[in-house]
């Protein structure tokens, strides 16, 4: 066999082998086999791989802080976020200013110190305050004298009235003296009693002369009757004069006391003005008579709070009205937001409503504030009206000046399924939630709608009653990703 024949034989053998392999691997199967194959392929297409399941032990779930809640239908308030800034509550914030031109003798506090109402924060020395206090002392001394004189004259007036009544009643002199012994009568005691005694004596002499038939001449009788009439007239005139004088003296003393009282009040008000005090406290300003250092002025805190700022030190001069301290009670703060013209009509909020507040340093934390008021005046520079929200700061976590955001309601979507924003996560580019069951936690893709007020509307993928993870979803996502890597 030559080389050509050998080569031809080898080629033929290779062709025969290839043909057999094709027949075995590519020749169509029987109809039954084809039907079975189709059935198997269809079943494979319908069945989908089971969603992964994150399983945590009870102890690990507790440590992770996993929380679930059933899905329910409710309303979602649509909101608009407004930039804002924390500020002092004007009702709990005061700038302590110098009442007059003064020199600071000492300063008792520094920024950050806690002070109570009436606590001394600084001591000043002011000549103007000394002069005002000196005038108060003078006017109050004059008032005291005037009031003493007024009481003296009022007592005399009352005493004379009582004495005149007893004289006109014709009581014996001895009885009258006993009755008015404790009364204040001044000079009128002796004058009226003496005149009354003379009148009584003249009456007795006239009566005895008239009763003596023939023993006393007619001339004597007429003289004694004349003396009686004269004594009675003198008594009546003295009574009228005494009543008039005492009443006039009483009125004059009352007027003088009122004038002294007004002068003292004016002096106290001038002192209060120098001290920067107004209202009821102004009328109550007084100075102890034993006070010697009249120019010394104690500056006291008008409210309980914290010293926020201090602008002067000891020995410095301050002018009237200069701001010395800022003292504030920061347990409650304001959040001031600007509402632009485009938001006026959309905003649905009024005094007392609750709103959501977030801060720049803790953007994932939400706080509740209460609307204090919505302003009416448009700011000419910004074209906005102010919205002021009141928020509790009992744990001192907020500071005035801190930036914030306020979510203001603009509309409401009724009867919709929603979940807390913390329940929705991004899983492989799809919005998803974890559904809790006895076996574990399974991710479920959902179709989301609007997001507002810390909640997200669910348009599809969840039904009512299903328990979704509202806290710890990111931890479950991490566990799921770790399991996938394994």
């Amino acid at each position: 066999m030559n080389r050509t024949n050998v080569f031809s034989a080898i080629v033929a053998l290779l062709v025969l082998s290839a043909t057999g392999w094709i027949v075995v691997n590519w020749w169509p199967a029987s109809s039954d086999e084809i039907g079975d194959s189709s059935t198997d392929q269809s079943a494979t297409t319908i069945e989908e791989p089971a969603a992964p399941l994150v399983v945590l032990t009870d102890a690990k779930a507790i440590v992770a802080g996993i929380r679930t809640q059933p899905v329910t239908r409710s309303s979602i308030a649509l909101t608009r976020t407004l930039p804002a800034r924390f500020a002092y509550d004007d009702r709990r914030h005061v700038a302590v200013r110098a009442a007059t031109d003064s020199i600071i003798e000492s300063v008792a506090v520094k920024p950050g110190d806690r002070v109570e109402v009436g606590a001394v924060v600084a001591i000043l020395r002011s000549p103007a305050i000394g002069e005002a206090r000196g005038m108060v002392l003078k006017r109050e001394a004059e008032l005291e004298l005037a009031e003493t004189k007024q009481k003296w004259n009022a007592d005399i007036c009352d005493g004379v009235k009582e004495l005149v009544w007893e004289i006109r009643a014709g009581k014996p002199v001895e009885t009258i003296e006993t009755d008015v012994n404790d009364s204040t009568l001044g000079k009128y005691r002796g004058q009226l009693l003496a005149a009354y005694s003379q009148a009584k004596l003249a009456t007795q002499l006239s009566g005895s002369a008239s009763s003596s038939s023939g023993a006393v001449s007619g001339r004597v009788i007429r003289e004694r009757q004349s003396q009686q009439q004269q004594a009675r007239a003198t008594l009546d005139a003295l009574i009228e004069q005494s009543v008039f004088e005492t009443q006039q003296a009483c009125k004059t003393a009352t007027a003088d006391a009122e004038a002294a009282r007004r002068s003292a009040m004016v002096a106290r008000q001038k002192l209060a003005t120098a001290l920067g005090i107004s209202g009821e406290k102004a009328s109550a300003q007084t100075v102890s008579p034993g006070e010697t250092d009249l120019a010394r002025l104690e500056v006291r805190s008008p409210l309980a709070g914290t010293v926020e700022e201090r602008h002067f030190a000891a020995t410095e001069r301050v002018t009237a009205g200069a701001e010395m301290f800022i003292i504030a009670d920061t347990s409650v703060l304001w959040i001031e937001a600007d509402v632009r013209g485009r938001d006026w009509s959309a905003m649905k909020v009024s005094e007392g409503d609750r709103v959501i507040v977030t801060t720049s340093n803790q953007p994932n934390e939400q706080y509740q504030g209460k609307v204090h008021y919505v302003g009416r005046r448009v700011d000419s520079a910004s074209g906005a009206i102010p919205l002021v929200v009141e928020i509790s700061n009992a744990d001192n976590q907020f500071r005035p000046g801190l930036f914030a955001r306020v979510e203001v309601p603009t509309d409401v979507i009724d009867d919709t399924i929603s979940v807390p924003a913390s329940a929705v996560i991004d899983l492989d580019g799809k919005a998803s939630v974890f559904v809790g069951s006895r076996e574990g936690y399974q991710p479920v893709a959902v179709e989301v709608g609007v997001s507002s007020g810390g909640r997200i509307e669910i348009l599809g993928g969840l039904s009512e009653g299903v328990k979704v993870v509202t806290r710890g979803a990111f931890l479950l996502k991490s566990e799921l990703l770790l399991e996938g890597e394994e």
Side-chain angles (χ1 to χ4, degrees), residues 103-107 109 122-124 310-318 324-325:
I103 297 177
I104 301 178
E105 184 176 287
S106 63
V107 177
V109 294
I123 296 177
L124 309 181
R310 187 188 74 181
H311 301 297
F312 292 94
T315 72
E316 288 190 272
R317 290 181 177 273
V318 292
M324 300 175 62
F325 303 94

Side-chain angles (χ1 to χ4, degrees), residues 87 93 139 151 190 251 404 406:
H93 167 269
R139 296 306 184 196
K151 185 177 184 308
K251 291 179 181 179
V406 178

Side-chain angles (χ1 to χ4, degrees), residues 352-390:
D353 289 349
R354 297 286 178 176
V355 293
I356 300 298
V357 176
T358 57
T359 62
S360 57
N361 59 342
Q362 291 181 316
N364 296 325
E365 292 291 334
Q366 293 186 341
Y367 307 93
Q368 275 205 349
K370 183 176 69 173
V371 175
H372 182 53
Y373 70 83
V374 181
R376 303 294 300 170
R377 181 177 179 274
V378 179
D379 185 87
S380 58
S382 63
I385 60 174
L387 170 68
V388 177
V389 176
E390 181 182 290

Side-chain angles (χ1 to χ4, degrees), residues 61-339:
I62 293 174
V63 172
I66 304 296
R67 296 287 186 273
T68 62
Q69 70 177 41
V71 174
T72 59
R73 303 187 73 88
S74 61
S75 298
I76 295 182
L78 301 182
T79 62
R80 184 160 295 171
T81 302
L82 304 176
R85 186 188 293 268
F86 283 86
Y88 292 110
D89 183 339
D90 283 351
R91 301 163 299 179
R92 298 175 171 87
H93 167 269
V94 65
V96 179
R97 301 179 182 275
T100 63
D101 294 349
S102 311
I103 297 177
I104 301 178
E105 184 176 287
S106 63
V107 177
V109 294
K110 64 182 183 301
D113 286 352
R114 175 76 183 176
V115 294
E116 299 299 327
V117 177
V120 176
V121 294
I123 296 177
L124 309 181
R125 302 197 69 81
S126 170
I129 297 296
E131 292 177 3
R133 284 175 172 164
M135 184 57 68
V136 169
L137 287 174
K138 179 181 178 181
R139 296 306 184 196
E140 288 184 344
E142 293 173 351
L143 174 59
E144 184 179 357
L145 292 174
E147 288 178 340
T148 301
K149 185 176 180 181
Q150 179 190 19
K151 185 177 184 308
W152 168 261
N153 283 279
D155 291 343
I156 290 179
C157 192
D158 293 338
V160 168
K161 286 181 182 179
E162 180 184 0
L163 178 56
V164 168
W165 182 86
E166 298 217 359
I167 288 174
R168 287 176 173 169
K171 293 184 178 182
V173 175
E174 295 78 8
T175 302
I176 293 175
E177 288 178 341
T178 302
D179 292 343
V180 300
N181 183 59
D182 295 330
S183 300
T184 301
L185 295 167
K187 65 180 181 178
Y188 300 103
R189 181 189 299 272
Q191 292 177 359
L192 289 174
L193 286 177
Y196 180 57
S197 298
Q198 291 177 2
K200 291 283 287 182
L201 178 59
T203 300
Q204 291 175 357
L205 291 175
S206 175
S208 61
S210 299
S211 62
S212 300
S213 56
V216 179
S217 64
R219 182 178 61 82
V220 173
I221 292 174
R222 288 192 296 274
E223 288 178 355
R224 290 184 178 179
Q225 288 176 347
S226 176
Q227 291 173 355
Q228 177 189 4
Q229 293 172 356
Q230 185 177 0
R232 189 65 196 183
T234 301
L235 176 60
D236 290 341
L238 186 57
I239 287 174
E240 291 176 359
Q241 185 69 25
S242 299
V243 171
F244 175 76
E245 288 179 356
T246 55
Q247 288 180 347
Q248 287 298 106
C250 187
K251 291 179 181 179
T252 301
T254 299
D256 291 343
E258 287 298 326
R261 195 171 292 112
R262 287 191 294 271
S263 296
M265 183 179 296
V266 169
R268 286 193 291 266
Q269 289 175 346
K270 287 183 178 180
L271 174 59
T273 301
L275 295 173
I277 299 172
S278 60
E280 295 180 358
K281 293 182 178 180
S283 300
Q285 286 301 307
T286 186
V287 183
S288 172
E291 183 68 45
T292 56
D293 195 354
L294 299 180
R296 185 176 186 271
L297 173 62
E298 293 180 342
V299 180
R300 298 179 179 272
S301 173
L303 53 77
T306 304
V307 178
E308 300 290 308
E309 298 178 24
R310 187 188 74 181
H311 301 297
F312 292 94
T315 72
E316 288 190 272
R317 290 181 177 273
V318 292
T319 57
E323 186 178 282
M324 300 175 62
F325 303 94
I326 295 293
I327 298 177
D329 175 6
T330 57
S331 60
V332 175
L333 291 177
W334 280 358
I335 302 172
E336 298 176 344
D338 288 337
V339 183

